[in-house]
Amino acid sequence: MMSANNDFQTWSFAIQQQMELTLGAVLPSPAVLPQRLHEAMRYAVLGGGKRVRPLLVFAAGELVEASVERLQYAGSALEMIHAYSLVHDDMPCMDDDVLRRGKPTVHVEFDEATALLAGDALQTAAFEVLAGHKVCDKAEDQVAMLKILANASGAAGMAGGQAIDLASVGKALTLPELEHMHILKTGALIRASVLLGSYCGTPLDGGQRERLDRFAKLIGLAFQVVDDILDVEADTATLGKTAGKDAANDKPTYVSLLGLKEARERAAELEASALDALSVFGERARRLREVAHFIVHRAF
Ligand code: GRG
């Protein structure tokens, strides 16, 4: 019999492969003009990354018996927004990094202007994918999905969190201030992944939606606590991005505020509360529990 861990690995590997194919198909062809921009977009998205956001889309999709095709498009939109954020975050005007997913960053491999445009074009392509395919039953729900993605990506979500992050370098944030920044910068897109997956199938009732949203917020924050821990504990080769950057850049993190031990405890508490929020769903939430476990116990 297959162990639970192996089963999750098989499931997640299959989704990662499907996502690679779907993303390869929805991204513009490198054979078509402007070729260099298209190449940069494909370089940023394909052949790397854990695909955590699509895994959450698929796991939430299991709650609502969503079709694989719908989940692939929703997952692609999220992964394109995520890739755009990484391309821009790595640029000299922001985090100024040379390594991402074990490869030179986009502005190093191409050039700064191309990296800027590739990020811009990935962002708009994400909305094109979500608007241009049938990802749920009703048109009004599709509009709601577009709004969720826009809100999670913009000033009230990821971009806003990044602005607070840039403004807080060298400052002593309180824990609530740090949490607020991370809920926006990383948590918002993780939360959107769970919510979009749940829109792809049979609609949940209000109470169920509220419980799922609670799970999504908690696991989004847990993702960032673990990211802060890994930045201290893991090495560059394992992460595929430069380790130790938070301390080097004098950035406030869960580890700098709480220390490693308490940061680990915080991640465990968030995981427990997130799992608790899923109790109403029973066995249907098995994949969500597994992805939550992966997020909190990953090594990279
Ligand atoms: C530029 C608008 C704008 C936003 C950037 C998300 C973000 C905001 C910056 C990325 C920098 C960073 C390291 C954030 C911490 C959490 C995070 C998003 C890590 C990378 O995500 P993973 O671990 O990466 O899911 P992979 O490569 O596996 O997809």
Side-chain angles (χ1 to χ4, degrees), residues 49-50 53 82 84-85 89 101 162 223-224 227 241:
K50 297 178 287 295
R53 292 148 196 83
H82 171 56
Y84 124 68
S85 81
D89 182 69
R101 295 176 167 175
Q162 179 78 344
F223 181 95
Q224 187 57 51
D227 201 73
K241 62 180 180 182

Side-chain angles (χ1 to χ4, degrees), residues 84-288:
Y84 124 68
S85 81
L86 300 180
V87 173
H88 282 188
D89 182 69
D90 288 333
M91 289 183 70
C93 58
M94 293 213 202
D95 219 25
D96 193 9
D97 215 327
V98 294
L99 189 71
R100 173 69 65 183
R101 295 176 167 175
K103 305 189 292 192
T105 46
V106 176
H107 67 276
V108 170
E109 183 72 15
F110 294 83
D111 56 78
E112 276 185 47
T114 305
L116 188 67
L117 289 172
D120 291 340
L122 282 171
Q123 176 167 207
T124 48
F127 288 98
E128 214 176 316
V129 168
L130 200 59
H133 296 91
K134 186 167 167 57
V135 285
C136 58
D137 289 336
K138 292 191 200 147
E140 69 204 56
D141 282 344
Q142 191 147 356
V143 174
M145 290 172 81
L146 289 160
K147 203 170 159 199
I148 288 171
L149 187 63
N151 189 262
S153 311
M158 184 178 72
Q162 179 78 344
I164 299 173
D165 186 328
L166 292 171
S168 51
V169 171
K171 287 201 183 138
L173 294 188
T174 62
L175 194 59
E177 285 169 341
L178 181 77
E179 284 205 347
H180 176 66
M181 171 176 91
H182 287 325
I183 285 167
L184 298 186
K185 188 180 91 165
T186 323
L189 208 59
I190 299 274
R191 176 184 173 215
S193 306
V194 175
L195 298 184
L196 291 193
S198 75
Y199 267 83
C200 291
T202 316
L204 295 173
D205 68 36
Q208 289 172 327
R209 197 166 278 183
E210 196 265 318
R211 300 290 288 189
L212 187 67
D213 196 20
R214 182 170 161 67
F215 163 81
K217 286 178 181 162
L218 289 162
I219 209 62
L221 191 53
F223 181 95
Q224 187 57 51
V225 179
V226 172
D227 201 73
D228 286 357
I229 295 171
L230 289 173
D231 187 67
V232 175
E233 283 196 325
D235 55 39
T236 297
T238 310
L239 292 179
K241 62 180 180 182
T242 314
K245 280 211 81 171
D246 294 336
N249 291 343
D250 200 14
K251 274 195 177 179
T253 68
Y254 285 92
V255 179
S256 71
L257 254 77
L258 300 175
L260 261 177
K261 185 169 169 284
E262 262 194 64
R264 280 198 207 101
E265 284 165 10
R266 180 85 186 111
E269 278 164 21
L270 288 165
E271 183 189 10
S273 306
L275 294 183
D276 189 50
L278 291 179
S279 57
V280 286
F281 296 108
E283 185 51 22
R284 281 196 298 160
R286 174 178 151 222
R287 294 299 185 197
L288 278 173

